[in-house]
Amino acid sequence: MVVARIFSTATCRVGLLLALAGGCCTAQAQQAAQPRTAAAAPELPLPQASPHAVLIQTIGLTDVTVDYHTPSVKGRAIWGQLVPYEQVWRAGANENTVLTFPDPVSLNGQAVPAGKYSFYVLPKSDQDWELILNRVTTHWGSEGYNAKDDQLRLPVVPEASPFHENLVYWFSEMKPAGGRLNLSWEKRTVSMLIETDVHTKALAGIEKVLAAYPTNWQLLAQAADYLVQNNIHSELALRYINESLRLKEVYTNNWIKARLLASKQDYGTAIVYGRRALKLGEKDDPGFKSKQPNMRITLTEWQSKAY
């Protein structure tokens, strides 16, 4: 007992001295006394039942991304059973299915700001289904889903489709400014039209490049050709093509100006530039012969409208 008291007293004195010295040793002693947490259990590298998939599709100048997991049918009844009617479904497996739009888009004609959205489907037994974009993307599937965070809901009619064992997202009906995103699983497909304001983004890029290369006649001609092909900003196209012609006159920029004038129904002047394009092409371009027949046909059409 005496020995124990002496040892205890000595320990207290040492502790007091350590505390007066700054407490660092006391802190180390306390840390050493705390129990060590167990290391995280390792995980085996096994395949997932619903593998992860990422689909990226460029629409115009916008890369649309679909990030999802792919469940399988496995002989189960899907619609109305595994995926109940009248309940919000995560449109995949595991975490949220996430759609990413780096630029503003429209979905079935409804405007959607740029951003990331979780994607849900609300299937129904006897009504149109609903496709849902929600602003919260960190849920596990539909757990924690709240309709107050919805960005929009789109009514859609599900279509019968060939059997798909694995859920799959895919794009169709691709055009310069739009395309259709489809979700197919079992014998059902739902889809929505995604459209982008591609011309606004293209024009911003054109102006940036031409500001850096203002005397490049080829870039000026390409910019004018894009505007002519899409029948937009005709006055800007005229400015670009006139500058291209001033810098260097070849058959290509003459033909672009001819087409531009024809689009403005100035067929008489279009014919003048068209004939000049034919003359320069025959003189300077060895590969011109393949283009010549279609150009002559177009000139004939303009002549019928001009006179």
Side-chain angles (χ1 to χ4, degrees), residues 283-299:
K283 176 183 175 182
D284 299 328
D285 192 334
F288 180 71
K289 287 185 178 180
S290 63
K291 305 176 182 67
Q292 192 179 47
N294 287 334
M295 292 173 67
R296 290 193 179 280
I297 291 171
T298 302
L299 273 173

Side-chain angles (χ1 to χ4, degrees), residues 23-276:
C24 60
C25 293
T26 303
Q28 291 174 356
Q30 290 174 346
Q31 185 176 5
Q34 292 176 355
R36 295 183 180 180
T37 57
E43 294 184 3
L44 294 174
L46 301 176
Q48 294 183 315
S50 300
H52 182 219
V54 177
L55 174 64
I56 301 176
Q57 175 66 57
T58 301
I59 299 178
L61 294 171
T62 300
D63 290 337
V64 175
T65 303
V66 186
D67 191 320
Y68 66 107
H69 286 76
T70 57
S72 302
V73 174
K74 296 179 179 178
R76 299 172 292 185
I78 302 300
W79 307 113
Q81 295 195 35
L82 182 66
V83 179
Y85 290 130
E86 310 298 337
Q87 293 184 27
V88 170
W89 170 57
R90 58 184 144 190
N94 303 335
E95 299 97 328
N96 289 137
T97 295
V98 176
L99 304 185
T100 302
F101 307 112
D103 302 304
V105 298
S106 70
L107 304 181
N108 287 3
Q110 295 194 38
V112 175
K116 288 187 175 182
Y117 301 93
S118 54
F119 181 57
Y120 297 98
V121 175
L122 180 58
K124 300 179 181 181
S125 60
D126 56 355
Q127 302 176 49
D128 291 351
W129 292 14
E130 289 184 287
L131 306 183
I132 304 169
L133 253 63
N134 189 277
R135 291 181 292 273
V136 178
T137 61
T138 55
H139 290 150
W140 181 266
S142 56
E143 293 179 9
Y145 165 81
N146 194 322
K148 71 179 179 61
D149 298 313
D150 287 350
Q151 179 67 35
L152 86 168
R153 291 191 172 208
L154 301 174
V156 296
V157 178
E159 298 178 358
S161 71
F163 179 80
H164 289 81
E165 171 65 24
N166 303 103
L167 180 148
V168 62
Y169 284 86
W170 53 285
F171 283 87
S172 63
E173 301 178 25
M174 297 304 303
K175 297 178 181 178
R180 188 167 291 279
L181 174 60
N182 308 278
L183 162 60
S184 296
W185 196 28
E186 201 249 5
K187 294 183 178 181
R188 290 287 184 273
T189 292
V190 291
S191 67
M192 61 182 174
L193 179 64
I194 303 175
E195 295 176 295
T196 65
D197 188 0
V198 63
H199 299 317
T200 297
K201 189 169 184 178
L203 189 57
I206 286 169
E207 291 173 345
K208 183 177 180 180
V209 172
L210 291 182
Y213 302 95
T215 59
N216 188 307
W217 69 268
Q218 292 171 307
L219 292 176
L220 286 159
Q222 289 172 15
D225 190 39
Y226 175 80
L227 300 178
V228 172
Q229 286 185 46
N230 291 283
N231 197 27
I232 56 175
H233 301 291
S234 60
E235 294 306 314
L236 182 60
L238 184 61
R239 178 158 63 86
Y240 287 157
I241 201 61
N242 283 343
E243 181 63 10
S244 176
L245 285 163
R246 186 188 69 80
L247 292 166
K248 185 173 182 177
E249 190 172 1
V250 294
Y251 96 84
T252 51
N253 51 16
N254 272 278
W255 186 245
I256 292 168
K257 183 165 183 178
R259 289 168 39 233
L260 172 59
L261 293 168
S263 72
K264 297 163 71 70
Q265 298 185 349
D266 184 359
Y267 296 109
T269 315
I271 291 167
V272 172
Y273 280 92
R275 287 173 176 168
R276 189 177 300 169

